Each structure stands twice: as structure tokens, then as C-alpha cells.
């Protein structure tokens, strides 16, 4: 890649107030990040490094293991950018770019479950295990009217521990979980499409938010995101549009 374009002092001051781009990376989402806190990798790590390069500053990565921790770091201003699913509850405190990748949320149930499709889940007496603070936790909490959301360290963990009727999760790891646990099956179709975007504090300069949105849209359009996903061995959908 060539030299980064000139960035205005206002944008630089807003996105890198400490002279570096502080980015939080969620290692709890294996589609978006892999590795260890000492050696993280994946599309979010690549995005953080490229955004820092375009700003002309170093990058500092803070690794966490849950989306709720990423959200808190961005919302509280402890980092400058994070990588989060677009959700109304979060949008009150953080500003989002358009999505750079789309991930599916799916259910898993025991083979003998009467649940045949995603629509069958929202019934009295059905308990759904979710990872606390995840995008699908927020989505199911605001959309389920009859089923009960049960939160834990992971949807499959609480599903097993509490003997729940349904486990919820991201398609890729949940599909692997089902394959490794005979007697379970995935439920089709997906129950939600999770729009993963770059986020920064809602109190940041509007010019900085606009710069971030333009930069991410460019990285989607020029194939940067798709190439990063391929390098990390992840099968996820890169959006073709740029609307937030």
C-alpha cells in the first residue's frame, strides 16, 4: 500500500489523542480475531493496524474475551476504536461505521427437540443460552417475547451446565460445537444477521467519525477485508453496500 493520505489535525486529535490508535480486539469471537493477547491476528487486528497506518500513528492493541468488554472500553473512552456488532442499545454511546463483515447467529438443539426452525424457539418454557453481552444476547433480549434468555460465559457452556433447550451462537463456532457433540443439531435458518462494524466514542469529533466511516468503506470496497478473512481462514460475508 502507498503512503497514507493527509489527515487533518482535528481528526488525528480525535482518533489518536495519545499519539497512537488504541484499539480493543475481542478474542472471544474467533471469526474476527485469533491468537493470543501477546500475538493476536485476524481481520480486526489487520483493520486496527491499517487504520493506524492511515492516521500515521502507532497502534496499541488491547485484547479482551467478550464483546461486552470491548463495548465498555470504547464507550468509556479507554480505547479509540473497537470492533462491535451494530445494536441500538450500543448506538446510544458509540458511533458506528457501516458493517465490514456480516456474521450469522444460529441456534443449536438436541436431536429430539421439537424446535425445527428458528421461529419455533420463541415459545413458553424454552430457555436459550447466550454469551452475556454478545450481539445475539442483545438481539434476543429485545426480540424474544416468550422464550427465556439465560446468560453465561458462553451460550454452549450455559446450555450444557443448566440443561437448556436451546444454545445460541455465531454460526462458525456453533457449527463446530454441534459437529463435536453427537446428539445435537443446528437449526436453520439463521435467527439474525450480525453486522460487525468499527466503533468509536459518540463524543468524538464528527469529522473523525466521518473519516473512520470513509476509511472502513474504502477497505471493504478495495478488497482489504475480504483478503484478511482469507488469510485468517475465516468464511464470512463481506457486504457489498456501505450503508450503516
Amino acid at each position: 500500500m502507498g503512503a497514507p493520505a493527509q489527515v487533518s489535525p482535528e481528526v488525528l486529535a480525535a482518533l489518536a489523542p495519545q499519539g497512537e490508535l488504541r484499539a480493543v480486539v475481542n478474542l472471544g469471537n474467533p471469526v474476527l480475531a485469533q491468537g493470543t493477547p501477546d500475538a493476536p491476528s485476524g481481520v480486526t487486528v489487520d483493520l486496527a493496524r491499517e487504520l493506524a497506518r492511515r492516521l500515521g500513528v502507532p497502534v496499541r492493541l488491547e485484547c479482551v474475551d467478550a464483546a461486552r468488554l470491548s463495548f465498555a472500553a470504547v464507550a468509556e473512552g479507554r480505547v479509540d476504536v473497537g470492533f462491535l456488532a451494530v445494536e441500538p442499545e450500543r448506538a446510544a454511546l458509540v458511533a458506528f461505521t457501516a458493517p465490514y463483515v456480516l456474521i450469522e447467529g444460529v441456534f443449536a438443539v438436541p436431536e429430539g427437540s421439537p424446535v425445527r426452525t428458528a421461529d419455533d424457539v420463541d415459545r413458553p418454557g424454552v430457555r436459550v443460552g447466550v454469551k452475556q453481552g454478545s450481539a445475539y444476547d442483545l438481539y434476543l433480549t429485545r426480540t424474544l417475547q416468550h422464550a427465556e434468555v439465560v446468560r453465561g460465559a458462553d451460550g454452549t457452556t450455559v446450555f450444557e451446565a443448566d440443561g437448556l433447550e436451546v444454545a445460541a451462537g455465531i454460526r462458525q463456532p456453533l457449527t463446530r460445537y454441534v459437529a463435536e457433540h453427537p446428539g445435537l443439531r443446528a437449526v436453520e435458518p439463521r435467527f439474525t444477521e450480525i453486522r460487525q462494524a468499527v466503533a468509536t466514542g459518540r463524543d468524538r469529533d464528527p469529522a473523525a467519525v466521518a473519516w473512520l466511516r470513509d476509511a472502513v468503506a474504502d477497505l471493504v470496497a478495495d478488497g482489504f477485508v475480504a483478503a484478511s478473512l482469507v488469510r485468517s481462514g475465516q468464511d464470512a460475508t463481506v457486504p457489498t453496500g456501505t450503508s450503516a
Side-chain angles (χ1 to χ4, degrees):
M1 294 190 178
Q6 186 68 33
V7 178
S8 74
E10 293 78 14
V11 167
L12 193 59
L15 288 180
Q18 295 187 8
E20 60 184 0
L21 182 69
R22 300 168 298 168
V24 61
V25 171
N26 176 18
L27 291 175
N29 186 329
V31 177
L32 304 183
Q34 304 87 44
T36 66
D38 291 332
S41 61
V43 65
T44 52
V45 174
D46 288 348
L47 280 168
R49 288 172 175 159
E50 176 60 15
L51 291 171
R53 189 191 76 84
R54 293 187 176 206
L55 288 168
V57 297
V59 66
R60 177 159 64 86
L61 302 176
E62 175 183 330
C63 293
V64 297
D65 63 1
R68 69 180 184 279
L69 301 178
S70 287
F71 172 69
V74 178
E76 294 167 10
R78 290 185 279 111
V79 298
D80 306 305
V81 295
F83 305 91
L84 296 163
V86 179
E87 271 290 319
E89 180 178 319
R90 293 171 175 169
L93 293 175
V94 304
F96 288 104
T97 67
Y100 63 88
V101 73
L102 306 175
I103 300 173
E104 294 183 334
V106 297
F107 296 125
V109 298
E111 282 284 4
S113 170
V115 172
R116 310 309 301 181
T117 72
D119 290 340
D120 294 335
V121 169
D122 194 13
R123 298 186 179 183
V126 174
R127 298 166 299 167
V128 184
V130 302
K131 184 170 186 174
Q132 183 179 4
S134 63
Y136 51 91
D137 174 7
L138 300 179
Y139 174 81
L140 292 172
T141 296
R142 64 182 169 82
T143 58
L144 291 179
Q145 298 182 350
H146 306 289
E148 177 188 357
V149 174
V150 181
R151 298 170 183 84
D154 192 79
T156 53
T157 302
V158 70
F159 168 77
E160 287 186 16
D162 292 8
L164 306 182
E165 289 73 34
V166 180
I170 295 167
R171 178 178 291 281
Q172 291 87 337
L174 194 61
T175 298
R176 288 194 294 271
Y177 175 81
V178 169
E180 294 165 358
H181 292 77
L184 298 180
R185 59 179 167 83
V187 178
E188 298 294 349
R190 72 190 184 205
F191 65 83
T192 188
E193 181 178 73
I194 302 169
R195 300 183 300 148
Q196 292 287 342
V198 182
T200 191
R202 185 159 284 284
D203 59 349
R204 303 282 170 130
D205 190 309
V209 176
W211 182 92
L212 191 62
R213 287 174 173 157
D214 288 345
V216 172
D218 182 49
L219 292 169
V220 169
D222 72 4
F224 179 96
V225 171
S228 176
L229 288 166
V230 170
R231 283 195 303 274
S232 59
Q234 300 303 312
D235 180 18
T237 301
V238 179
T240 56
T242 57
S243 59

